[in-house]
Amino acid sequence: MKQQICILGSTGSIGTQALDVIRQHSDLYEVYCLTAHNRVEQLAAQAHEFKPASVVIANETHYERLKELLADAPDIKVYAGASALEQIVEAAPIDMVLTAMVGYAGLAPTIRAIKARKKICLANKETLVVAGELITKLAIEYHAPILPVDSEHSAIFQCLVGEDMNEIEKILLTCSGGPFRQFTADQLATVTAADALKHPTWDMGAKITIDSASLMNKGFEVMEAKWLFGVPADKIQVLIHPQSIVHSAVQFADGGVKAQLGVPDMRLPIQYAFSFPRRLRLDGPRLDLFGQPLAFFKPDLTKFKCLALAYEALDKGGNMPCILNAANEVVNAAFREGRCGFLGMADIIEQTMLRTTFEAAPDYDTYVRTDAEARRIATELL
Ligand code: NAD
Ligand code: MG
């Protein structure tokens, strides 16, 4: 029986690479459902190729257009809207849900998928940033496995295979450093979104590429690692590693360090999340360790204030990471649209963290309330 996969965000960077994996292993995997936000033509083309049982376009204004584009494929059910997206993950035939949509919008459908006891292949890290405690609790309660897709977390996960009984002494979380690694504070003041979108080693969606340039992405990944692997933040060390070859490592009680290495290619972690514990063939360039020396540096938290703010939010706990995430989504979009400077992003996030109502023991409704309040405050501050 082929595994049935639902892809939330199939038109994005992760989504399209996941479809490439499925294309190469069509004997093992089948697409049950594809979803996108706005790119209706691309979604229809994917549906024509993969023939899913259903498609969902989150932005309802594109519904008629999508129906029209799929008029020649009457077997494919077409839905629209955020609630349709939340419902579709519960469909009985689905084995795995790949959460490859961007931002806070991933939270509600991920919760629904966990409650429907689906295997979660988690790319949408914002879900764990906002509500890591709730998500991990629900995953245990509903016996829903969460397989990491983020390259660093997949690397850590791969290092932990066979180590169930052994305590983690330290996680070594690597980070390319982004395009501004060697910039001075003065240079950072004038960088534009176009500069930030030129990532040196990874080709990703726009939002995460900006987060990688500000190192907010690495702050999010520290939180993601904490929840996925149950390791406190003080045992997670960030290392700037410009080559993006060591995807992360784990140090154990005997001082032994296991790392996962490879050329930067997101198809590997996506495929591993699908196929675990099996490894499947993946064509592409292979690692040449003679090619370049590997270097590691400490991150500069004064220059990259977003990373410092993420540590602060993690330390504070409660709904503070949710506040951090909401403010970041607002300033990230504003920076891309030229309405906020690069350094202004951290200032607005910091102010939003100070002004939004803090709650020490949040539940789901708290996250919804907090997200709305923090977005309003960050938008006013802009
Ligand atoms: P992307 O912008 O390329 O694609 C996002 C996808 O989500 C698109 O299909 C879009 O239609 C959909 N989407 C966006 N907003 C939505 C909404 N409100 N409702 C429904 N669908 C929506 O993003 P990406 O780079 O593929 O990243 C996706 C997620 O994976 C992010 O959470 C990101 O942090 C994470 N991630 C990405 C990479 C990477 O290499 N791209 C690596 C690690 C983690
Ligand atoms: Mg990553």
Side-chain angles (χ1 to χ4, degrees):
M1 280 270 284
K2 293 184 191 180
Q3 296 269 299
Q4 300 294 317
I5 304 180
C6 167
I7 304 183
L8 301 179
S10 63
T11 55
S13 161
I14 293 290
T16 51
Q17 293 181 87
L19 287 175
D20 196 34
V21 167
I22 295 170
R23 202 179 274 122
Q24 289 189 32
H25 297 287
S26 55
D27 54 326
L28 297 173
Y29 306 118
E30 212 161 56
V31 176
Y32 185 83
C33 174
L34 295 172
T35 83
H37 193 225
N38 280 318
R39 292 186 214 152
V40 65
E41 319 272 335
Q42 190 184 350
L43 181 63
Q46 291 177 340
H48 278 123
E49 180 184 350
F50 289 92
K51 310 206 170 4
S54 56
V55 291
V56 183
I57 188 83
N59 182 342
E60 293 178 49
T61 61
H62 298 303
Y63 176 71
E64 288 306 328
R65 180 73 187 130
L66 186 57
K67 281 289 280 182
E68 202 178 287
L69 288 165
L70 292 175
D72 59 347
D75 292 345
I76 304 176
K77 294 194 194 72
V78 180
Y79 303 100
S83 59
L85 205 127
E86 286 170 35
Q87 275 169 34
I88 204 75
V89 299
E90 296 175 340
I94 295 173
D95 299 298
M96 306 188 242
V97 175
L98 172 64
T99 68
M101 59 205 276
V102 68
Y104 173 86
L107 178 62
T110 305
I111 290 176
R112 293 283 282 265
I114 291 172
K115 288 187 172 170
R117 300 176 189 271
K118 307 300 184 190
K119 170 175 153 181
I120 310 293
C121 301
L122 187 134
N124 179 261
K125 66 188 84 184
E126 292 92 341
T127 288
L128 284 180
V129 170
V130 170
E133 191 166 2
L134 174 68
I135 292 290
T136 40
K137 201 182 82 197
L138 289 174
I140 293 167
E141 188 181 334
Y142 288 91
H143 304 283
I146 299 182
L147 281 290
V149 168
D150 211 345
S151 59
E152 296 78 0
H153 304 75
S154 175
I156 296 161
F157 182 71
Q158 292 174 58
C159 295
L160 291 174
V161 171
E163 302 282 0
D164 306 16
M165 307 293 291
N166 296 320
E167 196 189 320
I168 298 171
E169 194 169 80
K170 196 168 160 184
I171 284 179
L172 305 167
L173 186 73
T174 55
C175 169
S176 75
F180 307 140
R181 183 171 61 88
Q182 291 171 310
F183 279 38
T184 62
D186 282 350
Q187 284 175 301
L188 284 180
T190 57
V191 295
T192 64
D195 301 325
L197 287 169
K198 289 180 209 133
H199 195 276
T201 49
W202 296 98
D203 182 11
M204 309 176 287
K207 193 255 179 185
I208 185 177
T209 307
I210 302 301
D211 287 345
S212 300
S214 68
L215 297 203
M216 181 58 92
N217 181 55
K218 210 45 57 175
F220 283 177
E221 291 187 356
V222 173
M223 299 184 194
E224 194 184 1
K226 172 191 153 119
W227 294 116
L228 284 172
F229 308 113
V231 173
D234 61 0
K235 288 187 173 183
I236 305 171
Q237 181 175 17
V238 172
L239 296 88
I240 304 296
H241 168 48
Q243 296 81 21
S244 299
I245 295 293
V246 176
H247 296 309
S248 279
V250 180
Q251 180 176 309
F252 295 95
D254 58 359
V257 176
K258 279 167 80 175
Q260 190 259 336
L261 285 70
V263 294
D265 182 347
M266 283 309 295
R267 292 175 311 158
L268 190 155
I270 294 167
Q271 176 171 295
Y272 193 71
F274 288 168
S275 69
F276 171 79
R278 282 184 69 191
R279 283 186 187 272
L280 306 176
R281 172 101 204 145
L282 179 64
D283 291 329
R286 295 301 191 240
L287 179 60
D288 172 18
L289 277 175
F290 294 116
Q292 52 187 334
L294 302 178
F296 301 91
F297 309 98
K298 287 195 173 137
D300 184 339
L301 295 192
T302 41
K303 216 166 70 176
F304 294 100
K305 204 166 133 192
C306 283
L307 180 55
L309 291 172
Y311 276 118
E312 207 180 301
L314 193 56
D315 190 47
K316 197 95 206 263
N319 64 343
M320 195 53 86
C322 176
I323 298 171
L324 175 90
N325 177 73
N328 183 60
E329 286 192 28
V330 170
V331 295
N332 181 306
F335 176 65
R336 278 181 278 151
E337 291 157 16
R339 292 184 285 113
C340 178
F342 187 78
L343 297 175
M345 290 197 288
D347 294 338
I348 289 174
I349 295 167
E350 187 175 30
Q351 284 300 314
T352 308
M353 286 167 70
L354 288 170
R355 293 185 198 192
T356 309
T357 315
F358 177 71
E359 293 195 40
D363 58 13
Y364 180 74
D365 293 337
T366 317
Y367 293 129
V368 176
R369 233 182 6 252
T370 301
D371 180 73
E373 185 188 346
R375 275 173 204 271
R376 181 177 50 72
I377 292 171
T379 307
E380 279 167 18
L381 287 165
L382 267 174

